Amino acid sequence: MTTPDSRGQDRHLRSLLQIIPTWLPAFIISFAGACWIGRPEGWHPWGFATQSNVFPFTDLTGRLVNLNQLFEFGNIYKYFDYLSFSNPPSAIPLFLPLHYLSLDRTYFLWALFSLLSLALLSHTMCRLVFGIHRARIAVISSVLLIVGILFFPPIYECLDLGQTGIIIAALVVYDYVDDGPTQGLLLGVATALKIYPWLFIVVLALQRKWSAVVRSLAVILGLNLVTFIFWRESFTYYVTRIFLGGGEVHHLLSGAKVHANSSLLTPLTIGPQRPFFMDHTFLLGG
C-alpha cells in the first residue's frame, strides 16, 4: 500500500534520475576544465584564442592577499589604491574560507565552481528562455561550455583573472527564474558579493514579490552584520572612505581601469565628460 509520502519520494527520485543525465556531461566537462584551468603553470584553454599564456588568477590571488591584510592589519581595504578589495564588506565572510586553503586547491575549486555556474546559466537559459527539451540541454550546454572556455572573451577572461562575474550571473539568473519559497536568497548572496545586483531587487519590488525582496535584504543585512561584528574597522573604513568618501569612484577613474572595466559607471568615466566627473565624484556616489 502506497502512502502520499512514498509517492512524493518516488516523484523526487524520478526527477533526480532525469536530472543526472542532463547534468552529468556538464559536470564532467567542468571537472576536466577545472583541472586544466586550475593549474598555476602550463598552457591554458584560452591560449588558443589569445596566443598567450599569462599567469592566471591574478584578481583571485589579489583577493587572497587582501585576506592576509585583513588578518595582519585588521582592515581589508588598507591598500585600496594599490591592491583594491573592490567588494563590499558583506563579501568578506563569503571569501573567508579561501584563506584556509592552499593555492592549488583554491585555484581548482574556483575554476570548478565558475564552470559549474556557467553550466547552470546555460541550463537555465536553454530550459526556461528558449524552451529546449531536457534531452537536448546536456548537448547544448556542453558545447557552450567548451566554446566559451576556448573562444568567448567575457568567459575565458573571467576565468583567467579569477573574477566573480560568472558566479554572480548564475546566482542572479537562477534566483530570478525561481518562483519558489527560496527566491531572493541567491540574489542576496550575489548582491553581498558585488553591489550592482541590487537592480534585480528593485525589479522584484516592482513585481510586488515582497517575500523575495525581504529574503534578499535579510541575507545582505545578515552578512553586513557579521562583518560589522568581527571586522568593524574594515566595515567603517569602507562606508566612510570608499562608499561615501568617493574612494571607489577615484579608483575607477585612475589608470587603465578607465577603459578596462565593466562597472556601471564606465559610460561616465570615458570620453569628454571624464574631467567633469573627476572633479564632481559626489555625483557618482562619492
Side-chain angles (χ1 to χ4, degrees), residues 35-114:
C35 292
W36 194 4
I37 294 170
R39 299 173 304 156
E41 299 177 355
W43 193 258
H44 287 81
W46 47 81
F48 294 115
T50 62
Q51 293 301 310
S52 65
N53 191 41
V54 296
F55 179 78
F57 301 115
T58 51
D59 282 13
L60 178 59
T61 304
R63 302 295 78 79
L64 298 177
V65 174
N66 294 141
L67 290 172
N68 289 332
Q69 294 171 353
L70 176 66
F71 285 92
E72 184 175 356
F73 304 110
N75 184 4
I76 200 169
Y77 303 102
K78 182 176 177 65
Y79 298 108
F80 187 78
D81 292 333
Y82 171 66
L83 189 63
S84 62
F85 183 78
S86 57
N87 303 78
S90 53
I92 295 177
L94 300 175
F95 278 100
L96 189 63
L98 300 180
H99 180 71
Y100 302 99
L101 298 175
S102 65
L103 278 178
D104 290 341
R105 289 184 178 179
T106 298
Y107 293 156
F108 170 76
L109 290 175
W110 192 268
L112 179 62
F113 197 59
S114 296

Side-chain angles (χ1 to χ4, degrees), residues 212-270:
V213 171
V214 170
R215 283 189 286 267
S216 295
L217 296 178
V219 171
I220 297 168
L221 292 175
L223 289 171
N224 275 291
L225 181 61
V226 169
T227 304
F228 179 77
I229 294 173
F230 292 100
W231 303 286
R232 186 168 301 183
E233 183 177 352
S234 296
F235 184 91
T236 55
Y237 187 92
Y238 177 86
V239 173
T240 58
R241 300 285 296 276
I242 297 177
F243 186 74
L244 297 178
E248 176 71 11
V249 175
H250 280 290
H251 175 67
L252 292 174
L253 288 171
S254 62
K257 290 179 281 298
V258 174
H259 301 284
N261 77 81
S262 58
S263 169
L264 295 175
L265 301 181
T266 301
L268 303 179
T269 59
I270 60 177

Side-chain angles (χ1 to χ4, degrees), residues 175-189 191 198 200-220:
D175 187 277
Y176 185 76
V177 300
D178 175 27
D179 289 327
T182 61
Q183 186 178 28
L185 295 179
L186 295 181
L187 180 56
V189 173
T191 310
W198 67 266
F200 291 90
I201 299 179
V202 174
V203 172
L204 290 177
L206 293 175
Q207 295 175 340
R208 299 184 180 276
K209 296 182 178 181
W210 303 117
S211 297
V213 171
V214 170
R215 283 189 286 267
S216 295
L217 296 178
V219 171
I220 297 168

Side-chain angles (χ1 to χ4, degrees), residues 95-140:
F95 278 100
L96 189 63
L98 300 180
H99 180 71
Y100 302 99
L101 298 175
S102 65
L103 278 178
D104 290 341
R105 289 184 178 179
T106 298
Y107 293 156
F108 170 76
L109 290 175
W110 192 268
L112 179 62
F113 197 59
S114 296
L115 291 175
L116 289 176
S117 298
L118 184 59
L120 178 62
L121 268 175
S122 60
H123 275 64
T124 303
M125 297 298 290
C126 288
R127 182 169 58 91
L128 297 178
V129 177
F130 299 110
I132 299 175
H133 190 270
R134 177 176 290 179
R136 300 178 181 176
I137 291 178
V139 176
I140 295 175

